[in-house]
Amino acid sequence: MGTTQLESVPEPKYWHLKTVLTEALDSEFSVGEILPNERDLAARFGVARATLRQALEQLELEGRLQRRRGVGTTVAPPRMGVAVGSEQHAWPGAGDDAWQAVDSEQSAPPAAVARALETGSDEPVHVVRRSRMSHGQRVATDLLYIPASSVPDLSAIDAPSGAARARAVLRELQRLELEGQDRAVELGSAAADDAKDLDRLPGAPVLVVTTRFFAAGRTAALSVATYRADTCRLTFGDSGGVEIHHGPEQRAS
């Protein structure tokens, strides 16, 4: 590879470097290829390593690069489109839900969740953990918070823990008549547990989709789904549910 020196430009150096790196990624590297180390890259482009790190962080945020534990920085595949639709008549776990139940436990929810569910701050709720896979890769995790009042007959079910317990909670939830739901989407940073589950570094950018499910005039369940921001992009439409698009001609949900 040749040497490219950056000339004086009106925009921040790291931003101009990001553009130069993008061109290099498109012309010199393939998906999954490991980039040279920071010292070599900084020398090639004639910048300080701090400037290089800023450019790499921006490219990671934009989904062009992935930082993998024990591997290094690699060229990311194209982002998968996550379609956030407007389907109003499906509980989690019903129909063609692509989420996989992992576990369920009872614990006090975060304060914001307790307020949304109108439960006491110390009142335990059912927390169902779910994951979403695509092409053998975990692309999202979900915490589904369900107050005891939404699943009153659950005590009679002999499934103390694990995926079986999670599925039992979801089945009981589906006994309610779903009146509607709403969603909110925001950019967040991966907490330690989410980062581990999604094979990301703590603090890595993630897309957080919060969904409230309504029944009997109240919030009967609340879902907080965390998607990898480096591999997923959000699309909006009326297709319903959440789908993962793998390209213009292929979709998996």
Side-chain angles (χ1 to χ4, degrees):
M1 293 187 292
T3 300
T4 303
Q5 296 291 330
L6 298 180
E7 300 177 354
S8 177
V9 291
E11 59 191 353
K13 270 193 172 184
Y14 85 89
W15 194 261
H16 182 64
L17 175 60
K18 180 185 77 74
T19 302
V20 175
L21 284 170
T22 298
E23 295 174 354
L25 294 177
D26 292 338
S27 61
E28 302 178 32
F29 296 90
S30 58
V31 171
E33 186 171 350
I34 302 174
L35 266 61
N37 61 42
E38 289 185 358
R39 182 183 59 190
D40 292 342
L41 284 175
R44 171 183 172 179
F45 294 105
V47 297
R49 291 178 68 173
T51 301
L52 176 68
R53 290 193 188 101
Q54 284 182 292
L56 293 177
E57 288 172 358
Q58 185 64 37
L59 287 171
E60 182 184 17
L61 180 63
E62 295 178 3
R64 294 304 309 271
L65 297 177
Q66 293 179 350
R67 297 186 183 185
R68 302 170 57 190
R69 294 186 183 89
V71 176
T73 302
T74 62
V75 180
R79 279 176 168 169
M80 296 170 286
V82 179
V84 181
S86 58
E87 175 62 46
Q88 299 291 314
H89 303 290
W91 286 110
D96 296 328
D97 192 346
W99 291 92
Q100 299 174 359
V102 176
D103 199 357
S104 177
E105 66 178 10
Q106 283 189 283
S107 63
V113 173
R115 286 194 297 270
L117 296 176
E118 298 181 347
T119 61
S121 58
D122 297 327
E123 181 180 341
V125 301
H126 298 280
V127 183
V128 175
R129 294 183 177 86
R130 303 191 299 167
S131 66
R132 185 145 188 195
M133 307 292 292
S134 180
H135 287 196
Q137 179 187 49
R138 183 179 286 110
V139 296
T141 62
D142 180 47
L143 290 178
L144 182 64
Y145 299 93
I146 305 169
S149 58
S150 294
V151 287
D153 296 329
L154 191 63
S155 58
I157 296 176
D158 185 18
S161 62
R165 177 72 174 187
R167 290 191 292 268
V169 174
L170 296 179
R171 284 194 300 269
E172 286 301 307
L173 180 64
Q174 292 161 27
R175 295 178 182 271
L176 294 176
E177 182 179 351
L178 180 63
E179 297 174 346
Q181 63 191 52
D182 64 25
R183 287 191 180 96
V185 182
E186 60 186 329
L187 181 66
S189 300
D193 289 345
D194 289 332
K196 182 179 179 180
D197 289 341
L198 297 174
D199 192 25
R200 306 294 288 125
L201 295 174
V206 292
L207 300 170
V208 182
V209 180
T210 303
T211 307
R212 294 190 302 168
F213 298 87
F214 302 105
R218 61 181 176 83
T219 301
L222 187 142
S223 162
V224 181
T226 302
Y227 289 83
R228 289 182 55 149
D230 62 322
T231 59
C232 297
R233 59 183 175 85
L234 296 184
T235 60
F236 296 84
D238 296 326
S239 58
V242 177
E243 298 177 347
I244 295 180
H245 301 233
H246 295 281
E249 304 297 333
Q250 180 183 8
R251 296 192 301 178
S253 61

